Amino acid sequence: MKLASNHSNAEPPERSEYRTLTASASEGTVNTDPAWYTPARLLIAFCVVSFLVFLDRGIIASNGVNGDKESKTGIQGEFQLSKFQDGVLPAAFMIGLLIASLVFSELCKHYNAFRLIGWGMAIFMISSVGCGFANSFWTLLVCRIIMGAGEASIINLTGPFIDDVAPPSQKTLWFGILYLFPTVGIAVGYIFGGVIGASMGWRMPFLIQAAVCVPVVLWLFMVQPISLRTMHDDEEEAHTDLSAPLLGSEAAPPAAVVNSLWGDICILCRHPVFLYSSLGYCPVQGAFGVYSYFGPQAGHELFGVGRESIDLTFGGVTIVTAVVATLLGGWALDRVGSSIKNAMLLNGISAVVGFVAIVAAFWVPPATTTGFVWFMLIFAIGELAIFAGTAPVGAVIVWSVPTRLRPLASGISAIASHILGDVPTPPLVGLLQGYIQDWRIAMLVLTLILIVAAVLFFVGAYVKCIDYRPEEERLSLEKGHRLTVSNAGNVGPLVSDMESATMVHHHGDLADQNNLRQC
């Protein structure tokens, strides 16, 4: 795919079609938006998109679709998979996600970001059909990789859009609403895959999922698109519709594209809070990846609960805890002060509480008649704690990097959380379980990684950072307290590529709103 590199001083014809979402603080005016657009409608649309792409992860993890090798049911039974191969399947999408995240991050500099989300959904829909018709393990593996490529546009671009349009005083809550739908999608996927897979075969859930995506994809391509704020900060960038021909203009040399992308990645790596937040979320994502994939199997073997019942139970508990905790985490951060430091402290506390609760859950004796009930109750507390950090992590990722790099930051963070999180952990836990044949010990060993997450979050709360939110937004969140700002030009190489940065130092604690503005 060729990227347009020739820019002229004349306004591109598409500029009048793609209106910016944000107000101009200096002029006090608001640009015209498409007739369908309101911030709430955009949030709803992206919630639906996120739900659909993550529904797939619950589907493939459910006992109705994943099945069992010995009983020759589901994917395991039809393709006679080993435990390691079974663990590779939920992680296979990572290959496509890794490559496509970088591609979409670069494409959004040249093409409309809203349209890119439509292309991602189209790729996801087609590969879902491929999963439904897969005739071998390798065919299914390739389709999973392509699904990851489609998912990349949603992960990279929806968060920055919401950062543009959400009310400043409720921004973390809006992040919470957006980020709870991936978890809800996984949870509903358990139930959907378990019920439909058991009654209609493991292929049918993938085909139904693709059919549901059709109207969403059509809508994303047919409505007048809106633009990401980042794309309007640089007047030299061309904004074109992906429906227009990609050829016929000079293309940027591949080496120039790679160098530009590499330079942006290097800039991100000079932001320590972004690094601590991204790396801290990796163990959390890794733990949740194992719980979501092997949880139903472990519950079935430990407590002797039926496969269909365990799918419904895990799915229901995950839905409830995800909704409550994700919204509560966003609301809590908005209440105590949506600073970067407060967000990192909240994430660290959540990881510690989650560790304690989940370790306690796996110590419940399996032989007792009420063992499974107590296990699920305590396990639900652990999930509540883990999910409470979802919205604060998403907020820190886009607040701690330059505005133009938000899509790339979101993509890099998601890639890291998979490469160092839920990609290696299911196969490794599968290998460990295959060796020791004890789900209790395997899960306890896995849960130790939450301590690593807590340490990274707590350390990240006390390092220097830059808050890149607009100054008027930061001021509106001060609630009458003074905002102390130092000159960004005095902070050295860290901000050489960053305009309007605010360097602050951490002082005080969660409750201290009288000190300097927290990062």
Side-chain angles (χ1 to χ4, degrees):
M1 180 177 292
K2 296 185 177 181
L3 302 180
S5 61
N6 56 320
H7 306 303
S8 65
N9 294 328
E11 181 176 295
E14 300 89 332
R15 181 68 57 85
S16 61
E17 180 183 2
Y18 302 143
R19 303 296 186 180
T20 185
L21 295 176
T22 56
S24 171
S26 60
E27 298 179 2
T29 60
V30 180
N31 290 330
T32 304
D33 297 314
W36 66 267
Y37 166 78
T38 66
R41 288 176 184 170
L42 186 67
L43 176 62
I44 292 171
F46 286 165
C47 287
V48 172
V49 167
S50 297
F51 173 82
L52 288 176
V53 297
F54 282 88
L55 179 74
D56 170 78
R57 298 197 196 180
I59 288 174
I60 198 170
S62 66
N63 283 308
V65 171
N66 188 258
D68 181 72
K69 183 177 180 179
E70 295 180 1
S71 62
K72 296 183 178 181
T73 59
I75 295 172
Q76 286 194 61
E78 181 167 337
F79 299 136
Q80 290 295 290
L81 304 183
S82 66
K83 284 291 184 184
F84 179 75
Q85 288 176 310
D86 188 35
V88 166
L89 277 179
F93 73 93
M94 186 57 230
I95 298 174
L97 180 64
L98 171 61
I99 299 172
S101 288
L102 300 178
V103 171
F104 279 116
S105 297
E106 185 65 23
L107 284 176
C108 72
K109 298 177 183 178
H110 304 267
Y111 302 103
N112 180 265
F114 189 85
R115 285 286 190 251
L116 289 174
I117 293 175
W119 280 101
M121 280 298 295
I123 293 170
F124 176 86
M125 177 185 67
I126 294 170
S127 56
S128 183
V129 174
C131 288
F133 288 104
N135 58 5
S136 68
F137 167 73
W138 294 107
T139 304
L140 184 61
L141 191 67
V142 170
C143 291
R144 302 299 302 168
I145 293 172
I146 298 174
M147 292 185 86
E151 183 182 312
S153 68
I154 287 85
I155 291 177
N156 282 35
L157 301 173
T158 52
F161 266 117
I162 296 305
D163 188 43
D164 279 351
V165 306
S169 62
Q170 299 177 336
K171 185 162 288 189
T172 318
L173 178 60
W174 277 50
F175 276 119
I177 295 171
L178 176 67
Y179 292 140
L180 74 83
F181 276 87
T183 306
V184 172
I186 294 173
V188 174
Y190 286 152
I191 302 171
F192 179 72
V195 174
I196 302 300
S199 60
M200 303 177 67
W202 68 267
R203 299 176 184 274
M204 188 56 64
F206 292 113
L207 299 177
I208 295 175
Q209 173 181 256
V212 175
C213 288
V214 171
V216 178
V217 172
L218 292 176
W219 181 82
L220 287 168
F221 280 119
M222 292 175 66
V223 299
Q224 182 183 354
I226 41 85
S227 298
L228 196 60
R229 185 181 71 200
T230 307
M231 300 298 101
H232 287 269
D233 290 340
D234 185 356
E235 293 297 320
E236 295 183 357
E237 289 289 352
H239 298 269
T240 56
D241 191 341
L242 281 180
S243 62
L246 298 181
L247 304 177
S249 60
E250 295 182 16
V257 174
V258 172
N259 288 338
S260 173
L261 185 60
W262 178 248
D264 289 343
I265 293 174
C266 289
I267 292 172
L268 290 179
C269 290
R270 294 203 298 267
H271 290 72
V273 173
F274 166 75
L275 295 177
Y276 278 114
S277 181
S278 298
L279 293 175
Y281 194 63
C282 292
V284 176
Q285 186 73 11
F288 180 67
V290 171
Y291 301 146
S292 63
Y293 191 70
F294 284 124
Q297 294 183 46
H300 168 71
E301 295 183 20
L302 282 174
F303 298 97
V305 181
R307 291 188 180 275
E308 187 172 342
S309 297
I310 203 77
D311 280 342
L312 292 171
T313 303
F314 263 84
V317 168
T318 303
I319 289 174
V320 173
T321 55
V323 171
V324 173
T326 307
L327 295 178
L328 184 62
W331 174 85
L333 183 58
D334 285 333
R335 291 291 296 174
V336 300
S338 56
S339 67
I340 293 177
K341 179 184 179 181
N342 287 354
M344 296 292 279
L345 290 175
L346 180 60
N347 293 334
I349 294 170
S350 298
V352 171
V353 174
F355 168 78
V356 173
I358 292 174
V359 167
F362 279 102
W363 279 102
V364 173
T368 61
T369 56
T370 59
F372 181 67
V373 175
W374 279 108
F375 167 78
M376 289 307 304
L377 286 174
I378 302 174
F379 187 80
I381 295 174
E383 285 199 323
L384 278 169
I386 291 175
F387 291 142
T390 303
V393 166
V396 169
I397 295 303
V398 297
W399 293 344
S400 61
V401 301
T403 303
R404 69 180 181 85
L405 296 182
R406 291 178 304 168
L408 180 62
S410 298
I412 293 294
S413 178
I415 290 171
S417 71
H418 293 307
I419 290 181
L420 303 177
D422 58 4
V423 166
T425 50
L428 290 175
V429 171
L431 285 174
L432 179 61
Q433 170 61 17
Y435 178 74
I436 64 177
Q437 295 296 311
D438 189 330
W439 279 114
R440 190 179 302 275
I441 295 177
M443 290 296 190
L444 288 175
V445 170
L446 177 277
T447 305
L448 290 172
I449 66 177
L450 292 178
I451 295 298
V452 177
V455 171
L456 289 169
F457 284 134
F458 285 135
V459 172
Y462 291 95
V463 299
K464 296 178 181 180
C465 74
I466 303 170
D467 192 332
Y468 284 95
R469 284 175 288 180
E471 183 178 1
E472 63 271 16
E473 180 178 324
R474 297 196 305 270
L475 288 171
S476 71
L477 295 173
E478 281 302 301
K479 301 176 183 178
H481 296 288
R482 178 181 176 84
L483 176 64
T484 303
V485 182
S486 65
N487 190 337
N490 296 329
V491 298
L494 181 64
V495 294
S496 60
D497 188 60
M498 309 157 196
E499 296 79 18
S500 303
T502 303
M503 172 62 82
V504 299
H505 294 256
H506 291 305
H507 297 274
D509 54 26
L510 264 171
D512 189 358
Q513 294 293 318
N514 292 315
N515 288 328
L516 299 180
R517 171 65 181 172
Q518 309 291 337
C519 255

